Amino acid sequence: MASSTYFRLSLLLFLQFTFITAQNTDTSQILDINRIYAGEFTPEFERKIQWIDDGDAYVIIEKSAAIDGADELVRYESKNQEKSVYVAADNLVSDKGSLDIESFTLSPDGTKVLIFTNSSRVWRSNTKGDYWVYDLPTRKLTQVGASFKASSLLFAKFSSDNKFLFYVHEFNVYRENAETHEVEQLTFDGNGDIINGTFDWVYEEEFGKRDGFSVSPANTNLAFWHLDASDTGVFYMINNTDSIYSKPIPVQYPKVGEQPSAAKIGVIDLVSKKTTWIPLEGGERDNYIPGMQWVNDDLLLIQQMNRHQNTLMVWTYRPSTAALKKVYTEKEKTYIELNYPDISSDSWGSNDLPIVDDGTAFIRMTENDAWRHIYKVDISTGIQTLVTPFDYDIASMKVPTEKNVYYMASPDNSMQRYLYQTDLRGKGKEKRVTPVQYSGVNNYNVSPNGAFAIHTHQSAAELRTVRFISLPDHTLIKTLVDNKNYQEQLSKLSLPEVIFKEVTTEEGIVMDAKIVLPLNFDKSKKYPVLFYVYGEPWGQVATDTYNSLWTIMMAQKGYVVIAMDNRGTPCLKGSQWRKSIYRQIGRINASDQALAAKEILKLDYLDEDRTAVWGWSGGGTMTLNLLFKYPEIYKTGVAVASVSNQLVYDNIYQERYMGLPQENMQDFIDGSPVTYAKNLKGNLLLIHGTADDNVHYQSAEILINELIKQNKPFQMMSYPNRSHSIREGENTTKHLFSLITSYILEHTPVNPAE
């Protein structure tokens, strides 16, 4: 078996080299891997902005005209885009040179700028680094936490009176005097197992939590998360390449069925320095605390979920009286999402509940009936008002204004998104804000006052463009990104046609399909099929968006590329559509995909004998399930960073959608690809990064062992010291997609005679 696998891998690499070399002879109208990654095609993107003055202006990072390569901060007036230098580059020079501005925040009164630079990665994001304060009146630049080692501070922020800065260092919270730079330590037990003011791996990955503390508006109290991860299992990844001796890389990672870190909220009185622990219901290890925010200086709002994640409770806590009150309870028979995944939502944003009605109420999306709706909840009484009494799904919420709320939806087409507005009283009056000419997928970064927005638009036929607009009239103020250069570059290529259709399975399930047709498409011919899949609650693939260059290339080569969304994906098709996947991952979603493929393969121009499927992460898992459970449909598969056994993934994600294995173990077994590896008949390429801290390389090894045990041929490619994305560096990305392309070409040939 080992000899056979070695031979196959050698052959594959040879074919890959041959393929890349042969591509160089293609015409200028045809893409190849080299052209895709040579920088020939360069789409433009907008700069990240920070709203100021309630949205009447914003600040962005731009390159200085005076100092080559240096960053500076530039202010734009929203109504007319009048530009002025906010902080010039020559004011942002330390003894080590110009500061590379990665992000920034402004003090509440706008007189100081807090600059984040020299960052390093913590789990998924670069959240650890150095902070500097630039004082606009005095033009003085000062480093925060200068006595600490470089790149070691997290989540620095100003007090509302500018007198102090707060931050996390080595799992403890600190306060620093902005004038004297005297540093006070506010928590003392943080050591890695005990975590103050930030989070462990799984809270960040599955709840999007990074910043774990907040100062009350009048600087009276500081509320913070305290996690005890001392009993959390440590998973060791292995670095085999940086030394002749391997090095273990430890990650606190709670697997399915294992207890989460114990979590509680502490409130520090910033005068007495005394910490009070808020006595929420239930055990600290039996519940999650995914949200906490100040409503006013004496009112803290806390979100708590049970271990099964089917009950959400919102509590109020008043530090002055220690009064704790439950104001909201939401229950589901399946599961509750905190931030509903959608192509229009910021899944890594804050979990804060938007506060409305002068601080007396909050709004939240729920799926307690047939559709996802927005409800307003009175903080003192708990009385709920249905804000969106419409027979369609709310995709995501944007900014609430004094009387209204903006939200994304698409009542008639789940593959598209548009901006709507309705009043907060729930009177049932809705207005579509996005003009009709922007058909496709839209998104908006709405200013705090709701008067302006950055609008992005794209479709299968139109490249992504970005404009600055006023609201609610949607009047263009300035085009930020038109991508004309990119359009000109693409116009020199032969581009494939894209069509959309609905596919109805034999079980009556109607699924959206996005189909990219080959060049010079002739419906009288037979074409090979490449299915692109994801199929879990955090991904929708059949969307009215522009194709990737790789997809265009595969269509140019002669493949029909198809993406379809099954039940359980975040399509706007009702609550039952999404919630039907509960305890069914690996079964109902795989069945939907296979039955839809069976139907769509009845099209005369599709060759049912030349079918390939590929996916990444959840899509890699789906690929394995399809290849193993439906070998009569899928002949070739490429699975990247896949979960082969649900029992080795993290507890928050897998238990949310599958329950606890202590209660329904068989569901986990029945939904795991490794259970069906014995049925492999087609061609399989596995790809995995050895330093994947999300889906561990262990997952690939478990499947490899089972495939060898069952005497099943396959190919495997590992990327040393690469994480879940694997795409770390241009050469790695190029090599990865070269490999995928070569494998598909070899095993699902465009010319059947090959």
Side-chain angles (χ1 to χ4, degrees):
M1 181 63 195
S3 175
S4 172
T5 303
Y6 176 81
F7 172 76
R8 287 174 176 269
L9 185 55
S10 299
L11 176 62
L12 178 63
L13 293 174
F14 170 77
L15 288 170
Q16 174 187 325
F17 174 80
T18 304
F19 165 67
I20 295 175
T21 304
Q23 293 278 356
N24 293 328
T25 63
D26 287 346
T27 70
S28 62
Q29 293 183 329
I30 302 300
L31 281 171
D32 60 39
I33 288 291
N34 289 328
R35 293 186 70 188
I36 289 175
Y37 294 104
E40 179 181 351
F41 302 94
T42 52
E44 184 184 355
F45 295 93
E46 71 278 18
R47 296 183 178 95
K48 184 178 180 180
I49 78 163
Q50 176 158 331
W51 297 105
I52 61 174
D53 296 346
D54 200 31
D56 288 335
Y58 62 92
V59 176
I60 65 174
I61 304 168
E62 292 187 357
K63 290 299 179 183
S64 169
I67 303 177
D68 187 37
D71 292 337
E72 63 185 11
L73 297 178
V74 178
R75 174 186 173 119
Y76 287 86
E77 302 303 319
S78 295
K79 63 181 179 180
N80 56 19
Q81 295 297 290
E82 181 180 330
K83 176 181 177 180
S84 60
V85 175
Y86 197 70
V87 181
D90 57 5
N91 293 317
L92 299 176
V93 181
S94 72
D95 55 1
K96 295 182 180 179
S98 297
L99 296 184
D100 180 14
I101 307 174
E102 298 183 42
S103 65
F104 64 95
T105 54
L106 307 182
S107 63
D109 66 357
T111 63
K112 293 178 172 60
V113 183
L114 183 62
I115 294 168
F116 181 59
T117 187
N118 190 32
S119 71
S120 59
R121 185 172 175 176
V122 179
W123 312 134
R124 186 179 281 264
S125 301
N126 285 35
T127 51
K128 189 190 302 184
D130 296 332
Y131 286 90
W132 295 75
V133 171
Y134 179 73
D135 187 289
L136 275 77
T138 65
R139 298 187 178 183
K140 184 179 179 181
L141 182 69
T142 308
Q143 185 172 7
V144 180
S147 61
F148 295 121
K149 66 180 181 180
S151 189
S152 66
L153 304 187
L154 299 93
F155 316 121
K157 58 197 68 151
F158 290 105
S159 61
S160 62
D161 58 9
N162 295 341
K163 293 181 179 179
F164 294 96
L165 289 138
F166 299 86
Y167 49 81
V168 173
H169 171 72
E170 297 293 344
F171 307 106
N172 281 305
V173 182
Y174 290 79
R175 176 170 69 173
E176 180 173 329
N177 188 295
E179 294 297 325
T180 67
H181 302 292
E182 177 185 358
V183 176
E184 295 178 90
Q185 188 169 346
L186 299 178
T187 66
F188 298 89
D189 57 349
N191 58 15
D193 286 337
I194 303 298
I195 302 170
N196 294 302
T198 185
F199 295 92
D200 59 6
W201 182 93
V202 73
Y203 257 81
E204 174 174 321
E205 179 66 25
E206 306 303 355
F207 286 137
K209 298 302 299 178
R210 300 183 180 100
D211 184 350
F213 74 95
S214 181
V215 183
S216 65
N219 312 304
T220 307
N221 295 285
L222 181 148
F224 69 101
W225 271 268
H226 176 284
L227 269 62
D228 182 352
S230 58
D231 291 333
T232 299
V234 176
F235 189 88
Y236 291 93
M237 299 176 293
I238 305 295
N239 182 342
N240 283 311
T241 59
D242 289 350
S243 170
I244 59 173
Y245 291 100
S246 61
K247 178 183 177 181
I249 306 171
V251 179
Q252 292 166 327
Y253 188 106
K255 299 275 188 177
V256 174
E258 300 295 316
Q259 280 192 321
S261 299
K264 59 183 178 180
I265 300 293
V267 177
I268 302 173
D269 184 311
L270 291 174
V271 176
S272 68
K273 315 293 173 53
K274 178 184 176 182
T275 298
T276 301
W277 301 105
I278 300 177
L280 298 177
E281 282 182 4
E284 293 174 6
R285 293 191 184 277
D286 299 324
N287 294 276
Y288 298 108
I289 307 175
M292 176 266 289
Q293 67 197 94
W294 291 101
V295 177
N296 58 51
D297 199 62
D298 193 35
L299 186 62
L300 191 65
L301 208 60
I302 303 168
Q303 298 176 66
Q304 182 188 36
M305 297 183 83
N306 64 338
R307 172 75 179 272
H308 287 79
Q309 298 174 73
N310 57 13
T311 301
L312 170 67
M313 294 163 285
V314 179
W315 302 81
T316 57
Y317 177 77
R318 295 189 179 276
S320 62
T321 62
L324 180 66
K325 179 183 178 183
K326 187 189 299 183
V327 298
Y328 176 81
T329 301
E330 180 180 331
K331 290 181 178 290
E332 285 273 6
K333 293 180 179 179
T334 54
Y335 58 87
I336 291 172
E337 294 278 12
L338 208 63
N339 274 333
Y340 289 92
D342 188 76
I343 56 175
S344 66
S345 68
D346 180 6
S347 300
W348 296 98
S350 169
N351 292 335
D352 286 357
L353 296 163
I355 304 299
V356 297
D357 292 354
D358 296 322
T360 64
F362 63 82
I363 54 176
R364 167 165 166 77
M365 293 193 298
T366 75
E367 291 188 334
N368 282 331
D369 58 22
W371 305 101
R372 183 188 301 152
H373 286 307
I374 300 173
Y375 280 82
K376 181 172 66 175
V377 180
D378 186 281
I379 292 175
S380 62
T381 66
I383 294 174
Q384 300 179 29
T385 301
L386 176 59
V387 174
T388 57
F390 316 123
D391 291 333
Y392 59 81
D393 282 314
I394 307 304
S396 62
M397 282 192 296
K398 297 302 178 181
V399 168
T401 60
E402 183 179 351
K403 296 181 179 180
N404 302 306
V405 61
Y406 288 106
Y407 63 90
M408 302 300 296
S410 184
D412 302 318
N413 188 335
S414 178
M415 296 182 282
Q416 300 174 338
R417 296 293 184 275
Y418 302 100
L419 183 67
Y420 284 76
Q421 184 187 60
T422 191
D423 67 272
L424 285 167
R425 296 173 298 170
K427 298 299 182 180
K429 297 179 180 180
E430 57 177 331
K431 175 188 177 183
R432 174 170 153 167
V433 179
T434 307
V436 294
Q437 65 263 33
Y438 295 112
S439 176
V441 172
N442 299 271
N443 211 348
Y444 295 79
N445 176 358
V446 182
S447 63
N449 60 12
F452 304 96
I454 292 178
H455 168 222
T456 64
H457 167 261
Q458 63 174 308
S459 70
E462 298 173 286
L463 287 172
R464 185 177 184 273
T465 54
V466 187
R467 58 205 52 79
F468 196 93
I469 62 170
S470 61
L471 290 176
D473 55 6
H474 212 283
T475 299
L476 175 67
I477 296 175
K478 180 182 180 181
T479 298
L480 301 178
V481 174
D482 59 20
N483 263 315
K484 286 184 177 179
N485 290 337
Y486 189 43
Q487 180 67 60
E488 176 64 22
Q489 293 163 357
L490 292 178
S491 68
K492 299 174 183 178
L493 299 174
S494 295
L495 298 174
E497 179 186 359
V498 180
I499 62 173
F500 297 93
K501 68 183 286 102
E502 290 184 337
V503 181
T504 303
T505 72
E506 62 190 42
E507 294 180 348
I509 304 302
V510 180
M511 293 169 53
D512 295 327
K514 179 180 182 179
I515 304 173
V516 185
L517 298 172
L519 297 184
N520 305 313
F521 173 69
D522 182 346
K523 64 181 180 180
S524 68
K525 294 182 179 180
K526 287 283 190 181
Y527 294 95
V529 184
L530 175 59
F531 292 100
Y532 172 58
V533 294
Y534 187 78
E536 294 196 11
W538 277 74
Q540 182 179 355
V541 294
T543 57
D544 191 1
T545 51
Y546 206 80
N547 288 317
S548 69
L549 291 176
W550 188 80
T551 298
I552 292 171
M553 184 191 74
M554 296 304 287
Q556 288 178 338
K557 290 185 178 301
Y559 291 92
V560 176
V561 184
I562 300 175
M564 298 185 291
D565 286 307
N566 49 263
R567 284 177 292 174
T569 55
C571 298
L572 305 183
K573 296 189 172 188
S575 302
Q576 181 58 35
W577 170 276
R578 292 181 291 273
K579 295 300 181 68
S580 61
I581 202 170
Y582 184 60
R583 294 190 176 184
Q584 295 283 338
I585 288 181
R587 293 187 286 176
I588 191 174
N589 53 343
S591 173
D592 280 358
Q593 282 286 335
L595 294 180
K598 181 180 176 182
E599 290 300 319
I600 207 166
L601 286 170
K602 294 177 182 178
L603 293 172
D604 292 338
Y605 56 84
L606 299 182
D607 189 343
E608 63 181 10
D609 293 322
R610 288 182 292 156
T611 55
V613 57
W614 89 282
W616 200 303
S617 189
T621 307
M622 173 68 82
T623 296
L624 294 177
N625 270 320
L626 295 176
L627 207 60
F628 297 162
K629 298 174 77 171
Y630 304 95
E632 72 281 5
I633 299 176
Y634 304 94
K635 307 306 191 317
T636 294
V638 179
V640 187
S642 57
V643 178
S644 67
N645 186 336
Q646 293 185 21
L647 295 173
V648 300
Y649 197 52
D650 77 67
N651 57 1
I652 293 181
Y653 180 92
Q654 212 66 45
E655 292 175 8
R656 179 188 304 156
Y657 303 116
M658 290 296 293
L660 272 62
Q662 294 90 332
E663 300 171 355
N664 56 303
M665 174 64 77
Q666 195 60 45
D667 291 335
F668 290 83
I669 296 171
D670 293 343
S672 294
V674 69
T675 304
Y676 310 97
K678 60 188 176 184
N679 299 327
L680 175 63
K681 293 181 181 179
N683 312 293
L684 171 62
L685 172 61
L686 295 172
I687 301 175
H688 217 110
T690 63
D692 190 335
D693 62 0
N694 187 342
V695 181
H696 300 143
Y697 192 70
Q698 169 195 45
S699 183
E701 293 179 315
I702 288 171
L703 181 57
I704 290 168
N705 282 345
E706 183 63 20
L707 289 167
I708 292 173
K709 176 183 175 182
Q710 300 295 337
N711 197 30
K712 297 295 181 179
F714 65 95
Q715 275 115 51
M716 174 72 201
M717 174 58 73
S718 11
Y719 283 84
N721 296 340
R722 293 300 190 271
S723 66
H724 191 61
S725 66
I726 299 180
R727 309 175 189 183
E728 294 162 358
E730 180 182 313
N731 288 338
T732 301
T733 308
K734 177 180 175 182
H735 184 272
L736 173 72
F737 279 97
S738 296
L739 186 64
I740 295 172
T741 306
S742 301
Y743 193 84
I744 292 169
L745 281 170
E746 177 191 2
H747 295 287
T748 312
V750 175
N751 183 353
E754 293 178 358

